[in-house]
Amino acid sequence: MKKKMLLLNTTVLLGLGGVLSTPAYASTIQDMESQKSQIQNQRQDVQSNIKAASDELTRLQAEQDQMKAQLERLTLAEEENNKKAQKTEADIKETSKQVDQLEKEIKLLQEKLEKRNNILKDRARSMQESGGNVEYLQVLLGSSSFGDFVDRALAVSTIVDADRGILKETKNMQDELKTKQADVKSKLASLEDMKAELDEMTVQLAAQKKQKDALAKELKDKEAKNEELKASLQSKDSSLANEQSTLEQNIKDQKAAEEAARKAAEQAAKEAAKKAAEQAQKAAAEPAEKADSPSPKAAPKASSNDVAPTSAPAPKASNVVTVGNRWIGNSAYVFGGGRSQSDINHGLFDCSSFVHWAYSQVGVNLGPLGSVSTETLKHAGTQVSSSQMQPGDLVFFDTYKKDGHVGIYVGGGKFIGAQSSTGVAIANMSSGYWKQKFNGRVVRI
């Protein structure tokens, strides 16, 4: 009987082991896990491309913002230069009127002077022919008494003195008018030169705006294409995420079903063992040994990846040669600009105000900002020979007038300054336009 019970128990245990070790869902779960891994790899690639597209969008948007700010500066510069050009044109018209009026006054005075000169010539001729002044002599001889003679003599003397005084006054007025005329003509010539330069600036600013508008449109098109690419990648990532989620749920459901089947088999085995034991007890009246239950498996631990943050590089200090580089491509030339904090904040300079600003950034004061000009700057330091020129020296150019433009020498035959065509920029003074305009004046601060 004992042998029979032992055989029965062994059969039950073998049957339980067979049930617990059967891989009912293993191949299906493995397939889904493999598919899930492939989808995760695809998502990593897609997400990497999404990040690249996002970074490119950020770069394009920053470039777009910079371009927009530059266009705003160019528009503001164009408006300011147009205002100055209009005022200069009005000044030219007014000065031209002054010149015309002065010329008319001079002509009238010349006619008066000519008449008086003719009278004097006639009197002198009469005196020469008669040995005296006939007109005046007749006046004196026509006196009725000695007292009348004295009165007439005094009158004649007064008239002669008056003639001399009027002629002298007329001549002085004529000289004064000619001086005024020369000054006004000089002012008119300077205004016309300034107007020509302002007109040229307006043309250049308009050309810059057109070019910037084209670049802005190109950037906008790139941005739109990149947005479309990003949206497409995000859609693909969303689709893959749905697939991954579905697979994860299926895997979860399959594992739950497997676990339920395992527990059911385990419970069935326990009940069979219990029943067999009871039968054995009845048959042999001997205690049956209880089967040990298997211990549960430990759950796997999740892993995580840490991303180390990146730090921005520390800014470097600059000197007067490089401090203005921040305005290259971010500024505009305005005749008379850069003399208020608002202008400086918007990057609106002319040549002398930019030089003043650059030196102020390294702690050097070149005088009151409101009155700085090429004239004040050329006396601000020590004159040196152009053969001894070194970075940081001021260099001067004859543009619309002598010493009409100034910049800071940076070395290598180049200088940085607020140029009328580009705003703040580095230009070559060893060839081309600036070589022709450089007058050899170099000032060391």
Side-chain angles (χ1 to χ4, degrees):
M1 179 62 69
K2 288 183 178 179
K3 289 182 179 179
K4 289 182 179 179
M5 291 304 300
L6 181 61
L7 180 61
L8 177 62
N9 289 338
T10 302
T11 303
V12 171
L13 291 174
L14 287 173
L16 176 62
V19 170
L20 293 177
S21 62
T22 300
Y25 301 100
S27 61
T28 304
I29 291 176
Q30 286 177 355
D31 289 343
M32 287 191 291
E33 289 285 4
S34 175
Q35 189 176 357
K36 175 185 171 183
S37 177
Q38 291 175 2
I39 290 175
Q40 286 175 331
N41 291 335
Q42 290 180 34
R43 286 196 69 194
Q44 286 179 354
D45 292 340
V46 171
Q47 288 170 355
S48 176
N49 290 333
I50 290 174
K51 183 179 183 305
S54 296
D55 291 344
E56 178 65 8
L57 274 174
T58 301
R59 186 191 71 79
L60 288 171
Q61 287 167 356
E63 194 172 344
Q64 186 91 347
D65 291 342
Q66 185 178 7
M67 188 72 68
K68 182 180 178 182
Q70 179 66 358
L71 281 170
E72 289 175 354
R73 276 189 292 270
L74 289 172
T75 300
L76 184 57
E78 188 176 31
E79 290 173 355
E80 291 298 320
N81 283 328
N82 283 337
K83 288 178 184 177
K84 285 183 171 59
Q86 290 170 4
K87 184 179 182 303
T88 302
E89 191 170 353
D91 290 343
I92 288 172
K93 289 180 179 178
E94 183 61 29
T95 306
S96 297
K97 289 180 181 178
Q98 293 176 16
V99 171
D100 292 341
Q101 183 61 33
L102 286 171
E103 287 179 345
K104 289 178 182 178
E105 292 179 13
I106 289 172
K107 186 176 180 181
L108 289 174
L109 283 172
Q110 286 175 337
E111 290 175 357
K112 289 180 181 179
L113 186 60
E114 187 64 28
K115 288 178 181 179
R116 290 185 177 275
N117 284 338
N118 290 335
I119 291 172
L120 288 176
K121 287 178 182 178
D122 291 341
R123 288 178 180 173
R125 192 179 298 110
S126 298
M127 289 176 68
Q128 184 178 6
E129 292 174 354
S130 62
N133 192 319
V134 177
E135 292 85 353
Y136 292 165
L137 185 59
Q138 289 174 350
V139 171
L140 293 173
L141 293 177
S143 58
S144 58
S145 64
F146 181 73
D148 187 24
F149 176 83
V150 171
D151 290 339
R152 291 192 180 200
L154 290 173
V156 168
S157 176
T158 301
I159 291 171
V160 172
D161 290 340
D163 283 345
R164 290 197 189 100
I166 290 172
L167 287 172
K168 184 177 180 181
E169 183 182 354
T170 304
K171 184 66 168 64
N172 290 340
M173 288 179 66
Q174 185 187 42
D175 292 341
E176 183 180 353
L177 285 171
K178 284 183 177 180
T179 301
K180 287 182 180 179
Q181 185 185 40
D183 291 341
V184 172
K185 283 184 176 181
S186 176
K187 178 182 176 182
L188 180 61
S190 177
L191 287 170
E192 287 174 344
D193 288 341
M194 187 186 299
K195 177 65 167 51
E197 183 161 342
L198 286 168
D199 288 344
E200 179 63 22
M201 280 184 227
T202 302
V203 171
Q204 290 170 348
L205 285 168
Q208 285 184 64
K209 276 189 66 181
K210 186 176 180 181
Q211 183 180 10
K212 299 285 184 185
D213 283 333
L215 287 173
K217 184 179 182 302
E218 182 180 342
L219 284 173
K220 198 70 178 175
D221 292 343
K222 286 182 180 179
E223 190 176 330
K225 289 180 181 178
N226 219 56
E227 285 280 11
E228 186 179 347
L229 172 63
K230 182 180 176 182
S232 174
L233 289 169
Q234 287 174 331
S235 176
K236 184 175 181 180
D237 182 61
S238 178
S239 176
L240 288 171
N242 289 334
E243 288 184 38
Q244 181 178 337
S245 178
T246 301
L247 280 171
E248 287 173 349
Q249 185 61 43
N250 290 341
I251 291 171
K252 183 179 178 181
D253 292 344
Q254 290 283 30
K255 286 184 176 180
E258 182 182 278
E259 180 66 14
R262 187 189 68 78
K263 286 182 178 180
E266 183 180 350
Q267 184 64 30
K270 284 182 179 179
E271 290 177 356
K274 182 178 179 181
K275 188 174 181 180
E278 289 174 350
Q279 291 176 353
Q281 285 178 348
K282 288 179 180 180
E286 294 179 357
E289 295 180 358
K290 296 183 178 180
D292 295 328
S293 60
S295 58
K297 297 181 180 180
K301 294 183 179 180
S303 62
S304 62
N305 295 323
D306 296 329
V307 179
T310 58
S311 58
K316 296 180 180 179
S318 331
N319 56 28
V320 72
V321 174
T322 57
V323 72
N325 289 353
R326 57 171 289 196
W327 294 116
I328 295 176
N330 297 309
S331 59
Y333 185 96
V334 173
F335 201 93
R339 285 162 179 77
S340 68
Q341 193 57 47
S342 175
D343 279 0
I344 293 172
N345 291 342
H346 288 88
L348 305 178
F349 297 97
D350 66 9
C351 60
S352 52
S353 65
F354 170 74
V355 168
H356 187 285
W357 174 86
Y359 268 93
S360 71
Q361 300 306 296
V362 294
V364 178
N365 185 357
L366 296 181
L369 176 59
S371 59
V372 67
S373 67
T374 54
E375 286 297 314
T376 63
L377 291 177
K378 74 181 184 182
H379 300 297
T382 305
Q383 304 278 335
V384 298
S385 170
S386 59
S387 62
Q388 298 176 335
M389 189 162 47
Q390 62 186 31
D393 289 344
L394 304 188
V395 287
F396 291 79
F397 305 83
D398 293 342
T399 52
Y400 74 98
K401 67 174 184 177
K402 183 169 180 60
D403 298 319
H405 190 70
V406 64
I408 302 172
Y409 186 64
V410 299
K414 297 180 179 180
F415 76 100
I416 186 170
Q419 324 297 8
S420 61
S421 59
T422 59
V424 176
I426 295 175
N428 190 349
M429 59 182 287
S430 59
S431 64
Y433 175 81
W434 291 113
K435 180 180 180 180
Q436 296 173 3
K437 298 297 181 180
F438 179 52
N439 61 17
R441 187 187 296 278
V442 180
V443 174
R444 184 160 299 159
I445 303 299

